[in-house]
Amino acid sequence: ETGVTQSPTHLIKTRGQQVTLRCSSQSGHNTVSWYQQALGQGPQFIFQYYREEENGRGNFPPRFSGLQFPNYSSELNVNALELDDSALYLCASSSGTGIYEQYFGPGTRLTVT
Amino acid sequence: QKEVEQDPGPLSVPEGAIVSLNCTYSNSAFQYFMWYRQYSRKGPELLMYTYSSGNKEDGRFTAQVDKSSKYISLFIRDSQPSDSATYLCAMRTGGNTPLVFGKGTRLSVIA
């Protein structure tokens, strides 16, 4: 059984650019959630996908968007990057029926200059 | 007022000490309570979870939830240098709802 993987590990972008982050769910998991963790803060919920449909969104602007694919892998897209978007972006997968078993990937560290 | 409050520390203790980590929360709808451990530059790892009020023990770790006081705790007995990490409390209202995290407490266990 493979765990949650994310790519890339880290990247540097310029303000105004666009970025795509990728996540592969743990085997058998059909729900993916994305979180943003700023330095020194706890993770903040961005949105969740269940069977390719967004079924929950946190307090993030529309320039944060996502996709989930038939194999339950997922993408997070951020347009018009701002300096405050610099953070660790975490992907977590769960079975959709588990009420607590949300497994996190190692994260992608995004730096916006 | 934030939904979940957690003292960020840092907390430094000698090896073998008992560590107490705490969170308070304001949303009485929270039903599921978790503790995650996060090592530097890694994703959070689920340590303990509790449903509603009560205690749960797993090896050196004990989680307590007091819903009447909106207060949760994690105790680590016989702390080890390998326990040095950031500990995040998290909670959710139910089902597969989003996790709401505290800021995390940075713990250092000194050998």
Side-chain angles (χ1 to χ4, degrees):
Chain A
E1 181 181 274
T2 57
V4 179
T5 60
Q6 291 186 244
S7 62
T9 303
H10 59 269
L11 73 167
I12 300 172
K13 289 286 189 178
T14 302
R15 191 170 50 183
Q17 286 187 316
Q18 178 266 343
V19 69
T20 297
L21 311 181
R22 294 178 174 82
C23 169
S24 290
S25 304
Q26 185 161 315
S27 177
H29 287 182
N30 56 17
T31 301
V32 173
S33 302
W34 285 90
Y35 292 81
Q36 180 196 66
Q37 186 176 24
L39 198 62
Q41 303 294 318
Q44 278 201 293
F45 175 70
I46 303 175
F47 44 57
Q48 178 175 275
Y49 280 82
Y50 172 65
R51 293 186 175 177
E52 302 177 60
E53 296 283 332
E54 183 181 300
N55 75 337
R57 188 177 184 94
N59 190 25
F60 280 81
R63 58 189 185 84
F64 285 78
S65 63
L67 279 174
Q68 188 181 30
F69 300 99
N71 66 355
Y72 303 131
S73 65
S74 177
E75 284 183 357
L76 164 65
N77 299 290
V78 187
N79 293 321
L81 284 167
E82 300 177 0
L83 297 179
D84 284 349
D85 296 333
S86 295
L88 181 68
Y89 287 85
L90 295 161
C91 162
S93 74
S94 58
S95 69
T97 56
I99 55 175
Y100 43 76
E101 293 168 342
Q102 202 166 82
Y103 296 93
F104 283 83
T108 293
R109 185 161 298 280
L110 172 65
T111 302
V112 182
T113 61
Chain B
Q1 183 191 14
K2 285 206 150 199
E3 273 194 296
V4 180
E5 299 277 2
Q6 183 176 11
D7 186 339
L11 181 61
S12 185
V13 301
E15 183 176 357
I18 296 174
V19 176
S20 171
L21 305 168
N22 311 293
C23 288
T24 58
Y25 62 94
S26 57
N27 187 351
S28 57
F30 287 136
Q31 295 285 337
Y32 303 95
F33 304 91
M34 279 72 74
W35 286 95
Y36 283 83
R37 177 173 61 195
Q38 186 174 27
Y39 291 112
S40 182
R41 301 186 179 277
K42 302 286 187 184
E45 168 196 10
L46 180 64
L47 267 181
M48 301 279 289
Y49 67 87
T50 311
Y51 170 69
S52 194
S53 285
N55 293 358
K56 187 167 185 177
E57 190 172 319
D58 184 2
R60 297 185 294 112
F61 299 91
T62 299
Q64 288 185 351
V65 174
D66 181 349
K67 289 191 72 181
S68 62
S69 302
K70 298 190 179 71
Y71 187 88
I72 70 170
S73 302
L74 177 71
F75 297 95
I76 307 174
R77 289 182 298 281
D78 187 25
S79 55
Q80 303 295 309
S82 58
D83 294 327
S84 299
T86 295
Y87 290 80
L88 296 153
C89 65
M91 38 202 86
R92 68 200 321 176
T93 55
N96 213 357
T97 56
L99 292 168
V100 181
F101 283 87
K103 268 188 169 184
T105 299
R106 190 168 180 180
L107 171 68
S108 293
V109 181
I110 311 300

